[in-house]
Amino acid sequence: MPIRNLVTGGAGFIGSHLVEHLVARGESVTVWDDLSTGRVSNLSRVRDDITTIFSDINTDAALLDTVIQRVDVVYHLAAAVGVDLVVNRPIQSMRTNIALAELVIETCAKYRRPMFLASTSEVYGKSTRVPFQEDDDVCYGATTKHRWSYAMSKAIDEFYLLCYSDMFGLPGVAGRLFNTVGPRQVPFHGMVLPRFIHQALTGQPITVYGDGNQRRCFTHVADIVPAIVRLVHCCEASGQIVNLGSSEEISILDLAHRVKDKTKSESPIVHVPYELAYRDGFEDLLRRVPDTSKAKRLVDFKVTRSMDNILCDAITHERAAMSGA
Ligand code: UDP
């Protein structure tokens, strides 16, 4: 009998790649997504191979209980993602990110289902001690700055997972994802790479926030997904927090130039002050680099896709999406 999986947020960018990967492994998949940011079209390649539930998970705890009881593994990826979304809809985002995660974690603990919780490098906050190790201290700004609600809500999810693991034997692992990118990531919720590509391909100015010296490590979703699956099946990873991401840094200004060159775009590169891009008092992070020695040790995590490869894939996808393909 094939392994039965539940993927919450399975119609989203990372979720849909995970679903395709599980289907390719011959596993059975139920996707549960409220389609707030996910899209049915993301699942077009596997539509006939999966079961879907498109509704708000929060409002149907009884169905969630039934579904989790019937599956072998749970991947919890449903969340409010993207700085734009979190800054503009903080209450809804916190509700989704905390209450829903608690419900999924609690139900997985009840049935002892192995689960993966998608967390984020945002949890490190504005710590400047790179590379970040999972046990490092975290450092957040004032609660008056909405951005930190995302970091704190994901940190609370991690606390839930660790506590349920310690106290009730939940076989759960959380992956802190560092700027995962690739085909199907949409330009609408603030994520920089799809935004730059969309701007370049439509001749709009490429908007670099601040001076563009802030740096990030972008990781192709195709490198992240197999690691997620290996982690949830790795006994030693149970009860652990694990960084997943590339260590290759690029400044946002360099990224803008690389996108402009690769797309042969005429778009100007413009600098936008942070207070115009987000709102007053927004704090950006200068660097975010993962230490991935734990992921390497546990599941032999390797990054195989270069920045060039990432750019080619993401540009090809956006061109196809714009032409309606
Ligand atoms: N950014 C930018 N222009 C944009 C969107 C984002 O310069 O149009 C910057 C953003 O301020 C941040 C970086 O790109 O410094 C990465 O932003 P993203 O929201 O993709 O990820 P995160 O901030 O979570 O790393």
Side-chain angles (χ1 to χ4, degrees):
M1 175 134 134
I3 298 174
R4 296 159 303 175
N5 304 279
L6 168 65
V7 182
T8 70
F13 154 56
I14 302 176
S16 62
H17 285 277
L18 173 62
V19 171
E20 283 179 359
H21 183 77
L22 294 169
V23 168
R25 282 163 58 97
E27 301 187 15
S28 108
V29 181
T30 298
V31 166
W32 197 337
D33 200 300
D34 69 0
L35 300 179
S36 52
T37 52
R39 299 160 156 208
V40 177
S41 60
N42 283 345
L43 295 167
S44 55
R45 291 189 199 174
V46 286
R47 198 174 27 219
D48 299 334
D49 307 306
I50 61 173
T51 305
T52 51
I53 307 170
F54 294 134
S55 67
D56 183 356
I57 312 177
N58 258 317
T59 55
D60 210 341
L63 182 58
L64 183 72
D65 191 280
T66 307
V67 173
I68 291 184
Q69 193 180 2
R70 287 185 187 157
V71 299
D72 304 301
V73 179
V74 175
Y75 297 90
H76 181 54
L77 275 67
V81 290
V83 173
D84 269 10
L85 195 69
V86 174
V87 168
N88 296 325
R89 284 191 267 161
I91 296 176
Q92 196 183 334
S93 303
M94 281 188 288
R95 250 187 221 134
T96 305
N97 291 349
I98 301 174
L100 177 58
E102 185 194 356
L103 185 62
V104 171
I105 290 167
E106 190 188 2
T107 315
C108 285
K110 180 173 165 191
Y111 297 110
R112 292 279 170 98
R113 295 295 183 258
M115 76 165 285
F116 174 85
L117 170 76
S119 186
T120 164
S121 56
E122 184 83 11
V123 166
Y124 289 102
K126 52 183 176 176
S127 165
T128 52
R129 228 194 80 198
V130 293
F132 296 148
Q133 272 190 346
E134 291 85 349
D135 291 335
D136 283 348
D137 289 346
V138 294
C139 174
Y140 301 140
T143 49
T144 45
K145 293 176 178 153
H146 287 174
R147 137 163 235 154
W148 300 116
S149 67
Y150 180 51
M152 290 195 195
S153 60
K154 282 299 193 176
I156 289 174
D157 292 354
E158 292 187 5
F159 278 124
Y160 272 124
L161 182 102
L162 295 175
C163 294
Y164 274 93
S165 169
D166 280 356
M167 297 168 70
F168 303 106
L170 167 72
V173 55
R176 286 188 185 152
L177 310 183
F178 283 68
N179 295 83
T180 307
V181 289
R184 291 185 217 139
Q185 190 176 35
V186 290
F188 316 121
H189 310 298
M191 279 78 169
V192 68
L193 181 62
R195 266 177 73 85
F196 281 3
I197 293 173
H198 189 76
Q199 289 166 338
L201 293 179
T202 52
Q204 299 171 58
I206 301 175
T207 54
V208 172
Y209 298 161
D211 61 13
N213 284 329
Q214 67 273 34
R215 286 157 35 182
R216 293 293 186 272
C217 297
F218 295 94
T219 318
H220 197 295
V221 64
D223 281 330
I224 294 296
V225 157
I228 289 178
V229 176
R230 286 204 297 274
L231 274 175
V232 88
H233 290 285
C234 168
C235 295
E236 215 196 318
S238 179
Q240 302 276 334
I241 307 291
V242 185
N243 287 338
L244 290 175
S246 158
S247 314
E248 186 189 340
E249 276 187 287
I250 180 169
S251 79
I252 297 302
L253 185 57
D254 276 355
L255 183 73
H257 283 288
R258 298 266 295 265
V259 169
K260 184 174 155 89
D261 289 351
K262 279 230 177 283
T263 52
K264 301 191 172 44
S265 170
E266 303 277 296
S267 293
I269 294 174
V270 298
H271 289 268
V272 179
Y274 281 112
E275 52 279 18
L276 288 184
Y278 299 105
R279 55 171 75 183
D280 261 357
F282 181 83
E283 288 178 287
D284 198 13
L285 313 166
L286 202 53
R287 293 179 72 195
R288 262 186 189 164
V289 186
D291 177 326
T292 51
S293 38
K294 192 172 184 181
K296 281 187 190 122
R297 182 173 57 75
L298 287 171
V299 292
D300 195 24
F301 174 68
K302 281 191 199 82
V303 168
T304 61
R305 317 279 178 130
S306 64
M307 198 61 221
D308 251 359
N309 199 229
I310 288 173
L311 287 171
C312 284
D313 257 18
I315 291 168
T316 306
H317 168 79
E318 190 56 29
R319 278 210 168 101
M322 283 171 58
S323 71

